[in-house]
Structure formats: C-alpha cells, structure tokens
C-alpha cells in the first residue's frame, strides 16, 4: 500500500513541476481511452498499420461532419428574413 502511495505522490510532484495542466499527448491519450467513439480508441491501442488506417478514417469522417455542419449553417443563414413593425 505504501508503494502505491509513494508512486502517486511522485506522479503528483512530477505534474506540479511540469506546471499546470497536461501535455497535448496526455490529453489525447486520455480522450482516446475515455471516448465512446470507436476510431480514437483504436488509434492508440492497435498496431502501427491499423493505427494509421484508423487515424486516416477518423480524420476523414471528422472532416466530413465539419463540412456538413458548414453546409447546414450556410443554408440556415441564407434564408431571407422580413420584419415589419
């Protein structure tokens, strides 16, 4: 039990010395471990070829979703509005 406490305290001390927050790599790994989506989890746990494939697929479908949002927003903002008082 004391060994786990020492490891925990050493990890806390290391984080304090690094400064506030986490590195981008730590945040990415945390997100990939804790997300419900399939792609990011497989980016960090598969072999190198599968990692590359999942990275490309995830990037492709994320960009498609962002493009679709852009189309929806542009369509919504293009509607004419008439106001009369």
């Amino acid at each position: 039990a004391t060994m786990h406490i020492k490891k925990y305290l050493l990890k806390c001390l290391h984080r304090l010395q690094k400064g506030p927050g986490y590195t981008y790599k730590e945040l990415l790994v945390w997100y990939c471990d804790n997300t419900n989506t399939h792609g990011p989890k497989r980016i960090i746990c598969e072999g190198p070829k599968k990692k590359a494939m999942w990275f490309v697929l995830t990037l492709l479908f994320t960009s498609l979703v962002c493009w679709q949002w852009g189309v929806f927003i542009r369509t919504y903002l293009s509607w004419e509005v008439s106001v009369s008082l």
Side-chain angles (χ1 to χ4, degrees):
T2 56
M3 191 62 145
H4 292 295
I5 294 172
K6 280 184 180 180
K7 271 187 178 179
Y8 178 76
L9 291 175
L10 188 63
K11 199 174 192 180
C12 290
L13 180 63
H14 179 65
R15 283 236 168 91
L16 284 174
Q17 289 171 343
K18 281 197 310 187
Y22 300 97
T23 64
Y24 288 117
K25 185 177 180 178
E26 289 172 333
L27 288 173
L28 178 66
V29 169
W30 177 86
Y31 172 75
C32 291
D33 280 339
N34 294 299
T35 186
N36 290 331
T37 56
H38 300 289
K41 281 185 181 181
R42 286 177 171 73
I43 290 172
I44 64 167
C45 22
E46 298 286 342
K49 288 180 184 177
K50 285 187 178 181
K51 275 185 184 184
M53 181 192 69
W54 277 106
F55 179 76
V56 168
L57 284 173
T58 302
L59 193 62
L60 172 72
F61 287 109
T62 301
S63 58
L64 284 172
V65 167
C66 290
W67 171 74
Q68 191 67 48
W69 285 347
V71 170
F72 286 147
I73 290 170
R74 232 177 299 129
T75 303
Y76 177 76
L77 293 177
S78 69
W79 290 346
E80 291 187 26
V81 177
S82 61
V83 178
S84 60
L85 296 174

